């Protein structure tokens, strides 16, 4: 450790006094010449052999400079200055290069963001390794779906899964209050959050009677909406807010990292409140999620 610090100190001193490096190199060269003369060589031959052994004074000087602290920073700065001078000479080329880099970096960042959420990052649900998505696919539809009648048949007759739940996707909606906002509202079945293992950070989940036609109008809001519009006010529970001109009662706040299984944002989550009798007539549009036993 002491030797390392002494070497760094010596390098710093040489950096401040470049002549000291030349003097040291000359000293080592002369020592080699004297050893060769003492071995019986002529002065000219002794110098020639010393230079051969030394490997060239200029190259040795360059190698010593490369060992200085911060040498690579100076090299990078020199390369940057050279590049800037080149860009200044050809403005059109510069603009093209910058635009290409911007598009490339933006595209790479966007692709990584999607891949990170889909492949690398674990789902923000308890026991996410036990969750499966069940549904039908068709070329004309971008994601899985399930006809209403089929969903209830599957739910009532399956034995492989511990729980079944569904959601009908997220749609744009409007918060029509003093501070209005364009939001994303998702409709889910009453047992949606329990099946995913998600618990509100404030308040409660939906009750079974709230997920029925003409049931009480209730909603959960995202943590982000709670922060941006209500300043994390814990007294927000049971407050009435206007969604698309209709009043709904807030019963809870979702966790900060909550997201829909389809990676859609959901500022407001409301019960589906579907009529099972009507759904059994094969009304399409829901996606099922199940937890294995």
């Amino acid at each position: 450790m002491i030797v390392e610090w002494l070497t760094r100190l010596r390098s710093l001193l040489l950096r401040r006094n470049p002549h000291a490096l030349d003097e040291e190199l000359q000293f080592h060269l002369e020592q080699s010449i004297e050893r060769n003369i003492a071995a019986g060589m002529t002065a000219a031959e002794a110098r020639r052999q010393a230079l051969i052994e030394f490997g060239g004074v200029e190259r040795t000087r360059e190698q010593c400079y490369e060992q200085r602290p911060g040498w690579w920073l100076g090299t990078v700065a020199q390369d940057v200055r050279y590049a800037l001078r080149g860009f200044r000479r050809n403005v059109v080329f510069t603009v093209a290069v910058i635009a290409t880099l911007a598009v490339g970096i933006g595209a790479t960042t966007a692709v990584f963001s999607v891949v990170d959420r889909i492949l690398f990052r674990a789902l923000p649900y308890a026991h996410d390794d036990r969750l499966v998505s069940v549904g039908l696919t068709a070329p004309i539809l971008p994601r899985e779906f399930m006809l209403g009648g089929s969903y209830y048949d599957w739910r009532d007759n399956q034995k492989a899964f511990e729980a079944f739940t569904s959601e009908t996707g997220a749609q744009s909606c409007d918060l029509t209050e003093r501070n209005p906002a364009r939001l994303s509202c998702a409709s889910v079945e009453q047992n949606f959050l329990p099946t995913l293992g998600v618990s509100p950070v404030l308040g409660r989940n939906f009750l079974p009677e709230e997920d029925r036609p003409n049931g009480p109008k209730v909603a959960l809001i995202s943590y982000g909406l709670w922060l941006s519009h209500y300043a994390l006010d814990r007294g927000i529970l049971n407050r009435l807010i206007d969604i698309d001109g209709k009043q709904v009662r807030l019963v809870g706040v979702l966790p900060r990292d909550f997201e829909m299984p389809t990676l859609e944002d959901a500022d407001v989550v409301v019960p589906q409140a579907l009529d099972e009798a009507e759904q059994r007539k094969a009304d399409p549009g829901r996606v099922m999620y199940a937890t294995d036993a």
Side-chain angles (χ1 to χ4, degrees):
M1 180 64 70
I2 296 178
V3 174
E4 180 181 352
W5 278 105
L6 289 175
T7 302
R8 292 186 177 184
L9 178 61
R10 178 171 170 274
S11 299
L12 288 173
L13 293 175
L14 290 176
R15 182 180 181 183
R16 294 182 178 181
N17 184 13
H19 296 293
L21 176 60
D22 293 336
E23 293 173 359
E24 184 169 351
L25 291 176
Q26 185 63 34
F27 170 77
H28 287 294
L29 180 62
E30 291 175 355
Q31 290 292 312
S32 181
I33 292 174
E34 291 178 1
R35 285 196 302 270
N36 291 340
I37 291 176
M41 298 183 188
T42 62
E45 181 64 18
R47 181 176 180 79
R48 190 178 74 85
Q49 290 297 330
L51 289 173
I52 293 174
E53 180 183 357
F54 217 68
V57 176
E58 291 299 325
R59 178 55 186 158
T60 303
R61 182 183 290 108
E62 291 177 1
Q63 291 176 343
C64 290
Y65 278 122
E66 290 174 2
Q67 299 303 315
R68 296 182 306 172
W71 170 84
W72 65 274
L73 288 175
T75 302
V76 171
Q78 184 179 16
D79 292 341
V80 170
R81 288 194 297 268
Y82 178 79
L84 291 176
R85 287 197 299 269
F87 287 154
R88 194 163 51 242
R89 288 194 296 266
N90 193 333
V91 178
V92 176
F93 174 75
T94 301
V95 172
V97 169
I98 293 175
T100 302
L101 286 174
V103 172
I105 293 173
T108 302
T109 303
V111 170
F112 176 78
S113 299
V114 174
V115 172
D116 177 52
R117 296 176 70 185
I118 296 176
L119 299 180
F120 302 141
R121 184 153 47 97
L123 294 172
Y125 310 130
H127 309 297
D128 59 299
D129 57 329
R130 300 175 58 201
L131 292 171
V132 296
S133 174
V134 183
L136 306 175
T137 59
I140 60 175
L141 294 176
R143 65 175 191 170
E144 292 175 340
F145 68 96
M146 177 59 60
L147 301 179
S150 299
Y151 169 72
Y152 289 109
D153 289 339
W154 283 33
R155 185 197 65 181
D156 296 341
N157 295 285
Q158 65 82 27
K159 296 181 180 179
F161 301 107
E162 180 181 329
F164 250 54
T165 190
S166 64
E167 53 95 4
T168 49
Q171 304 290 334
S172 297
C173 59
D174 293 311
L175 179 65
T176 53
E177 294 185 332
R178 181 183 305 173
N179 186 17
R182 187 70 166 172
L183 305 176
S184 175
C185 294
S187 300
V188 304
E189 197 170 356
Q190 181 270 332
N191 66 338
F192 181 77
L193 294 179
T195 299
L196 298 183
V198 175
S199 298
V201 294
L202 182 69
R204 60 170 176 82
N205 184 35
F206 302 131
L207 301 176
E209 58 268 22
E210 294 169 342
D211 191 24
R212 295 172 183 168
N214 303 317
K217 304 301 181 184
V218 295
L220 291 101
I221 61 173
S222 68
Y223 192 95
L225 184 62
W226 185 36
L227 172 63
S228 62
H229 273 68
Y230 304 105
L232 302 181
D233 179 13
R234 301 187 68 86
I236 196 175
L237 295 181
N238 294 316
R239 180 184 300 181
L240 294 174
I241 64 171
D242 292 334
I243 299 294
D244 288 336
K246 300 177 181 179
Q247 288 194 329
V248 297
R249 187 177 302 277
L250 294 182
V251 296
V253 177
L254 295 165
R256 184 192 296 267
D257 61 349
F258 174 78
E259 61 184 19
M260 298 294 286
T262 53
L263 305 183
E264 294 176 297
D265 293 325
D267 301 301
V268 179
V269 176
V270 298
Q272 286 180 331
L274 299 176
D275 188 328
E276 182 173 340
E278 292 294 327
Q279 288 298 307
R280 287 188 179 274
K281 296 178 182 179
D283 180 30
R286 64 173 50 201
V287 179
M288 300 188 300
Y289 295 92
T291 306
D292 63 6

